[in-house]
Short mmCIF file of all heavy atoms in Angstrom, two decimals:
data_model
loop_
_atom_site.label_atom_id
_atom_site.label_comp_id
_atom_site.label_asym_id
_atom_site.label_seq_id
_atom_site.Cartn_x
_atom_site.Cartn_y
_atom_site.Cartn_z
N LEU A 1 4.39 -0.01 -9.37
CA LEU A 1 3.62 1.21 -9.23
C LEU A 1 3.24 1.44 -7.77
O LEU A 1 3.40 2.51 -7.24
CB LEU A 1 2.38 1.14 -10.13
CG LEU A 1 1.40 2.29 -10.05
CD1 LEU A 1 2.08 3.63 -10.40
CD2 LEU A 1 0.20 2.03 -10.99
N ALA A 2 2.73 0.39 -7.11
CA ALA A 2 2.34 0.47 -5.69
C ALA A 2 3.52 0.90 -4.84
O ALA A 2 3.42 1.74 -3.94
CB ALA A 2 1.74 -0.87 -5.22
N SER A 3 4.71 0.27 -5.09
CA SER A 3 5.90 0.60 -4.33
C SER A 3 6.34 2.04 -4.51
O SER A 3 6.74 2.70 -3.58
CB SER A 3 7.04 -0.36 -4.73
OG SER A 3 6.68 -1.67 -4.36
N SER A 4 6.24 2.51 -5.75
CA SER A 4 6.67 3.88 -6.04
C SER A 4 5.74 4.91 -5.32
O SER A 4 6.22 5.86 -4.73
CB SER A 4 6.62 4.11 -7.59
OG SER A 4 7.05 5.41 -7.86
N ILE A 5 4.44 4.64 -5.38
CA ILE A 5 3.50 5.54 -4.65
C ILE A 5 3.72 5.46 -3.16
O ILE A 5 3.83 6.48 -2.47
CB ILE A 5 2.04 5.20 -5.04
CG1 ILE A 5 1.79 5.45 -6.53
CG2 ILE A 5 1.08 6.04 -4.17
CD1 ILE A 5 0.44 4.92 -7.04
N HIS A 6 3.86 4.26 -2.64
CA HIS A 6 4.09 4.03 -1.24
C HIS A 6 5.34 4.78 -0.74
O HIS A 6 5.28 5.53 0.27
CB HIS A 6 4.26 2.54 -0.95
CG HIS A 6 4.86 2.20 0.40
ND1 HIS A 6 6.20 2.06 0.60
CD2 HIS A 6 4.29 2.04 1.60
CE1 HIS A 6 6.46 1.83 1.85
NE2 HIS A 6 5.28 1.80 2.49
N ASP A 7 6.41 4.66 -1.49
CA ASP A 7 7.67 5.30 -1.06
C ASP A 7 7.54 6.82 -1.04
O ASP A 7 8.04 7.46 -0.11
CB ASP A 7 8.81 4.86 -1.99
CG ASP A 7 9.16 3.40 -1.88
OD1 ASP A 7 8.66 2.71 -0.96
OD2 ASP A 7 9.94 2.89 -2.72
N ASN A 8 6.87 7.38 -2.02
CA ASN A 8 6.65 8.81 -2.07
C ASN A 8 5.78 9.30 -0.90
O ASN A 8 6.07 10.36 -0.34
CB ASN A 8 6.13 9.26 -3.42
CG ASN A 8 7.20 9.47 -4.45
OD1 ASN A 8 7.77 10.55 -4.55
ND2 ASN A 8 7.52 8.41 -5.22
N VAL A 9 4.72 8.55 -0.60
CA VAL A 9 3.83 8.94 0.49
C VAL A 9 4.57 8.83 1.82
O VAL A 9 4.47 9.71 2.66
CB VAL A 9 2.53 8.12 0.46
CG1 VAL A 9 1.73 8.36 1.78
CG2 VAL A 9 1.68 8.48 -0.75
N CYS A 10 5.38 7.80 2.00
CA CYS A 10 6.17 7.65 3.24
C CYS A 10 7.11 8.86 3.46
O CYS A 10 7.25 9.32 4.54
CB CYS A 10 6.98 6.36 3.22
SG CYS A 10 5.99 4.86 3.52
N LEU A 11 7.72 9.34 2.38
CA LEU A 11 8.62 10.48 2.49
C LEU A 11 7.85 11.77 2.79
O LEU A 11 8.30 12.59 3.60
CB LEU A 11 9.42 10.66 1.18
CG LEU A 11 10.52 9.64 0.95
CD1 LEU A 11 11.08 9.79 -0.44
CD2 LEU A 11 11.63 9.74 1.99
N ALA A 12 6.71 11.97 2.14
CA ALA A 12 5.99 13.22 2.27
C ALA A 12 5.14 13.30 3.53
O ALA A 12 4.92 14.40 4.05
CB ALA A 12 5.11 13.41 1.05
N VAL A 13 4.57 12.17 3.97
CA VAL A 13 3.64 12.17 5.10
C VAL A 13 4.02 11.00 6.05
O VAL A 13 3.32 10.04 6.11
CB VAL A 13 2.19 12.00 4.59
CG1 VAL A 13 1.20 12.24 5.76
CG2 VAL A 13 1.86 12.96 3.46
N ASN A 14 5.15 11.21 6.74
CA ASN A 14 5.64 10.12 7.58
C ASN A 14 4.90 10.00 8.92
O ASN A 14 5.17 9.17 9.73
CB ASN A 14 7.14 10.23 7.77
CG ASN A 14 7.57 11.47 8.48
OD1 ASN A 14 6.71 12.23 8.97
ND2 ASN A 14 8.84 11.76 8.51
N SER A 15 3.91 10.91 9.12
CA SER A 15 3.15 10.88 10.38
C SER A 15 2.04 9.84 10.36
O SER A 15 1.43 9.60 11.37
CB SER A 15 2.60 12.26 10.70
OG SER A 15 1.99 12.83 9.57
N ILE A 16 1.72 9.25 9.17
CA ILE A 16 0.78 8.13 9.12
C ILE A 16 1.61 6.87 8.94
O ILE A 16 2.46 6.80 8.06
CB ILE A 16 -0.25 8.29 7.94
CG1 ILE A 16 -1.12 9.51 8.13
CG2 ILE A 16 -1.09 7.03 7.85
CD1 ILE A 16 -2.13 9.74 7.04
N LYS A 17 1.39 5.89 9.79
CA LYS A 17 2.09 4.63 9.74
C LYS A 17 1.90 3.92 8.38
O LYS A 17 0.81 3.93 7.80
CB LYS A 17 1.56 3.74 10.87
CG LYS A 17 2.16 2.33 10.88
CD LYS A 17 1.58 1.50 11.98
CE LYS A 17 0.49 0.62 11.46
NZ LYS A 17 -0.06 -0.32 12.40
N SER A 18 2.97 3.32 7.90
CA SER A 18 2.90 2.50 6.67
C SER A 18 2.51 1.08 7.05
O SER A 18 3.11 0.44 7.87
CB SER A 18 4.23 2.51 5.94
OG SER A 18 4.19 1.52 4.93
N ARG A 19 1.45 0.59 6.38
CA ARG A 19 1.07 -0.81 6.47
C ARG A 19 1.65 -1.61 5.31
O ARG A 19 1.42 -2.82 5.17
CB ARG A 19 -0.44 -0.94 6.54
CG ARG A 19 -1.06 -0.28 7.77
CD ARG A 19 -2.56 -0.13 7.66
NE ARG A 19 -3.26 -1.36 7.60
CZ ARG A 19 -3.77 -2.04 8.60
NH1 ARG A 19 -3.61 -1.62 9.85
NH2 ARG A 19 -4.43 -3.17 8.41
N GLY A 20 2.32 -0.89 4.38
CA GLY A 20 3.07 -1.53 3.35
C GLY A 20 2.36 -1.66 2.00
O GLY A 20 1.26 -1.16 1.78
N VAL A 21 3.05 -2.37 1.10
CA VAL A 21 2.60 -2.69 -0.24
C VAL A 21 2.15 -4.17 -0.14
O VAL A 21 2.94 -5.02 0.26
CB VAL A 21 3.76 -2.48 -1.25
CG1 VAL A 21 3.31 -2.96 -2.61
CG2 VAL A 21 4.15 -1.02 -1.27
N LYS A 22 0.90 -4.43 -0.54
CA LYS A 22 0.37 -5.76 -0.30
C LYS A 22 -0.25 -6.35 -1.55
O LYS A 22 -1.00 -5.71 -2.25
CB LYS A 22 -0.75 -5.72 0.78
CG LYS A 22 -0.23 -5.23 2.14
CD LYS A 22 -1.36 -5.16 3.12
CE LYS A 22 -0.85 -4.75 4.50
NZ LYS A 22 -1.94 -4.70 5.46
N PRO A 23 0.06 -7.64 -1.82
CA PRO A 23 -0.55 -8.32 -2.95
C PRO A 23 -1.98 -8.74 -2.62
O PRO A 23 -2.31 -8.99 -1.48
CB PRO A 23 0.31 -9.56 -3.15
CG PRO A 23 0.84 -9.85 -1.81
CD PRO A 23 1.01 -8.50 -1.14
N ARG A 24 -2.84 -8.78 -3.66
CA ARG A 24 -4.19 -9.27 -3.51
C ARG A 24 -4.34 -10.52 -4.35
O ARG A 24 -3.67 -10.65 -5.43
CB ARG A 24 -5.24 -8.24 -3.97
CG ARG A 24 -5.17 -6.89 -3.29
CD ARG A 24 -5.02 -6.81 -1.81
NE ARG A 24 -5.92 -7.54 -0.99
CZ ARG A 24 -5.69 -7.71 0.34
NH1 ARG A 24 -4.62 -7.28 0.91
NH2 ARG A 24 -6.49 -8.42 1.06
N PHE A 25 -5.19 -11.39 -3.92
CA PHE A 25 -5.42 -12.71 -4.55
C PHE A 25 -6.91 -12.85 -4.87
O PHE A 25 -7.73 -12.09 -4.33
CB PHE A 25 -4.90 -13.79 -3.61
CG PHE A 25 -3.47 -13.71 -3.31
CD1 PHE A 25 -3.01 -12.97 -2.18
CD2 PHE A 25 -2.51 -14.31 -4.14
CE1 PHE A 25 -1.67 -12.89 -1.93
CE2 PHE A 25 -1.16 -14.18 -3.86
CZ PHE A 25 -0.73 -13.47 -2.76
N PRO A 26 -7.31 -13.84 -5.65
CA PRO A 26 -8.72 -14.06 -5.94
C PRO A 26 -9.55 -14.13 -4.63
O PRO A 26 -9.16 -14.80 -3.68
CB PRO A 26 -8.76 -15.38 -6.65
CG PRO A 26 -7.41 -15.49 -7.33
CD PRO A 26 -6.42 -14.86 -6.33
N GLY A 27 -10.65 -13.38 -4.63
CA GLY A 27 -11.51 -13.37 -3.46
C GLY A 27 -11.18 -12.29 -2.44
O GLY A 27 -12.03 -11.98 -1.58
N ASP A 28 -9.99 -11.69 -2.47
CA ASP A 28 -9.63 -10.65 -1.56
C ASP A 28 -10.37 -9.35 -1.91
O ASP A 28 -10.77 -9.16 -3.07
CB ASP A 28 -8.14 -10.30 -1.63
CG ASP A 28 -7.24 -11.38 -0.98
OD1 ASP A 28 -7.77 -12.22 -0.26
OD2 ASP A 28 -6.01 -11.31 -1.25
N ARG A 29 -10.55 -8.46 -0.91
CA ARG A 29 -11.19 -7.21 -1.23
C ARG A 29 -10.29 -6.46 -2.26
O ARG A 29 -9.09 -6.46 -2.16
CB ARG A 29 -11.41 -6.40 0.03
CG ARG A 29 -10.22 -5.60 0.55
CD ARG A 29 -10.57 -4.86 1.84
NE ARG A 29 -9.31 -4.70 2.57
CZ ARG A 29 -8.50 -3.66 2.42
NH1 ARG A 29 -8.76 -2.73 1.61
NH2 ARG A 29 -7.37 -3.64 3.13
N GLY A 30 -10.95 -5.88 -3.21
CA GLY A 30 -10.20 -5.16 -4.25
C GLY A 30 -9.74 -6.02 -5.45
O GLY A 30 -9.25 -5.48 -6.42
N SER A 31 -9.93 -7.31 -5.33
CA SER A 31 -9.40 -8.18 -6.38
C SER A 31 -10.08 -7.95 -7.74
O SER A 31 -9.43 -8.09 -8.77
CB SER A 31 -9.49 -9.64 -5.98
OG SER A 31 -10.81 -10.06 -5.78
N GLU A 32 -11.37 -7.58 -7.72
CA GLU A 32 -12.06 -7.38 -9.02
C GLU A 32 -11.46 -6.21 -9.75
O GLU A 32 -11.31 -6.28 -10.97
CB GLU A 32 -13.55 -7.23 -8.80
CG GLU A 32 -14.23 -8.52 -8.40
CD GLU A 32 -15.76 -8.47 -8.47
OE1 GLU A 32 -16.28 -8.05 -9.51
OE2 GLU A 32 -16.35 -8.81 -7.43
#
């Protein structure tokens, strides 16, 4: 899902740099 959204945003708005699709682990921000 993250990759699909990322790819569509990269095509539509290529003027913002992509920092990529990133996994989160226990304790990372957003992990909850």
Side-chain angles (χ1 to χ4, degrees):
L1 175 60
S3 296
S4 183
I5 296 170
H6 165 268
D7 293 350
N8 275 273
V9 171
C10 284
L11 288 172
V13 189
N14 62 10
S15 48
I16 296 180
K17 175 181 100 174
S18 169
R19 296 167 63 93
V21 174
K22 298 180 178 180
R24 305 315 308 166
F25 299 91
D28 287 346
R29 82 182 152 89
S31 62
E32 288 191 53

